[in-house]
Amino acid sequence: SGDLSNQTHIDRIMKRGPFDVVIHAAARISPEDGDGAAASLFQDNVIASANLALAARRNRTTHFIYCSTISVYSGDGPYSEHSETDPTIAYGVSKLTTEQALRNLAHQHFAVTILRFAGLHGYPRQGGVLFNFVESALNNAPIDVAEPDSVYTLTFMNDAVGALKQAAITGPRDIFGIYNVANPVSLSLSDLAERVIGVCNSKSKIVAGDTGKRNRVLLVDKFQSGYDVVSSSIEDEIMDLAVKLNDDRK
């Protein structure tokens, strides 16, 4: 472990290699905007990522895998890897800036793979729409769905781990490649709430709001056709989270 903004420290770690593959999943995630948040995000996401990539390249790493985000896209989805990237929040700007820096560092002996995840869901995350729905369902409490008609694809922890493993084991497809990663099933938030109630055998009722409709769907055909990836069903992911949350209560 160490401070990724400290180039000397990172070089010292990388010299213990060479490491064939480096997976960079660390990041600062801030829901806030403003100068202070932007400065922290730039330092901790852009500068730190560049430091790590430069150290990896100097020490003969051949494949650098970077975890990016759906937040680099602009407007409504569905989003392919060729959709417009014009992020409106500082976090998305910092991740896209890092992607662009890594593109400049990629070359024949240092391939870069960018994996753009939707919001991560599943155990042990304590928060997010899936956690909130399942937690309410286990308590037979009302499930508040502010945007019932908004449509999402979710990236579960299993999707993220599986994608990283496949990218590392299979190796790079291009000198610089970008791939969306999410569960391939898109569903509305009301549909997700209904599935949670069914899987949990809950008596919860859905309390639907009316705060707009968004499309936050990642198209994942490129990654699934390029790598051997099998996603779990939405129901299996809900059950997995419900079982683990119940175990935590014991």
Side-chain angles (χ1 to χ4, degrees):
S1 63
D3 182 1
L4 292 181
S5 65
N6 186 326
Q7 186 71 72
T8 301
H9 180 75
I10 297 305
D11 272 325
R12 188 181 305 123
I13 293 174
M14 296 305 299
K15 285 177 181 177
R16 298 174 186 172
F19 303 104
D20 294 333
V21 181
V22 169
I23 297 173
H24 180 30
R28 175 183 290 276
I29 301 175
S30 173
E32 302 174 358
D33 278 318
D35 292 343
S40 296
L41 288 164
F42 185 82
Q43 178 66 36
D44 293 341
N45 290 349
V46 182
I47 300 300
S49 299
N51 284 346
L52 182 59
L54 284 167
R57 193 171 76 161
R58 278 194 297 269
N59 289 281
R60 303 191 303 281
T61 291
T62 57
H63 189 194
F64 191 88
I65 301 172
Y66 177 65
C67 297
S68 192
T69 172
I70 190 175
S71 296
V72 302
Y73 294 114
S74 56
D76 257 1
Y79 311 108
S80 76
E81 290 82 357
H82 301 291
S83 294
E84 181 180 4
T85 51
D86 186 17
T88 57
I89 60 173
Y91 171 65
V93 171
S94 74
K95 299 295 276 187
L96 182 61
T97 302
T98 303
E99 288 187 15
Q100 293 164 343
L102 293 174
R103 181 188 292 273
N104 292 332
L105 291 176
H107 63 64
Q108 182 178 358
H109 302 295
F110 184 72
V112 174
T113 298
I114 307 289
L115 301 181
R116 290 175 176 165
F117 297 114
L120 287 175
H121 297 274
Y123 193 84
R125 183 183 177 191
Q126 301 285 305
V129 62
L130 182 64
F131 173 85
N132 293 336
F133 287 4
V134 171
E135 183 81 352
S136 294
L138 293 176
N139 291 310
N140 292 311
I143 297 179
D144 292 318
V145 186
E147 300 177 10
D149 296 324
S150 288
V151 181
Y152 285 74
T153 46
L154 306 179
T155 303
F156 298 104
M157 296 297 182
N158 290 328
D159 295 316
V161 171
L164 290 168
K165 283 183 177 179
Q166 284 298 319
I169 293 169
T170 305
R173 298 300 192 190
D174 303 287
I175 293 175
F176 181 83
I178 296 175
Y179 301 89
N180 290 337
V181 176
N183 188 283
V185 177
S186 60
L187 69 171
S188 69
L189 292 183
S190 61
D191 184 11
L192 177 62
E194 289 170 0
R195 295 192 191 203
V196 167
I197 290 170
V199 169
C200 296
N201 193 25
S202 173
K203 297 178 181 178
S204 293
K205 302 296 183 182
I206 295 174
V207 179
D210 185 20
T211 58
K213 179 180 179 180
R214 294 185 291 168
N215 186 307
R216 300 289 286 170
V217 172
L218 280 181
L219 302 177
V220 297
D221 309 69
K222 180 181 176 183
F223 187 78
Q224 293 209 321
S225 64
Y227 292 89
D228 184 17
V229 176
V230 178
S231 295
S232 300
S233 70
I234 301 291
E235 287 75 13
D236 284 346
E237 293 289 353
I238 294 170
M239 178 60 73
D240 180 69
L241 177 58
V243 168
K244 289 173 179 174
L245 290 180
N246 267 326
D247 287 345
D248 285 348
R249 297 177 174 185
K250 297 176 182 178

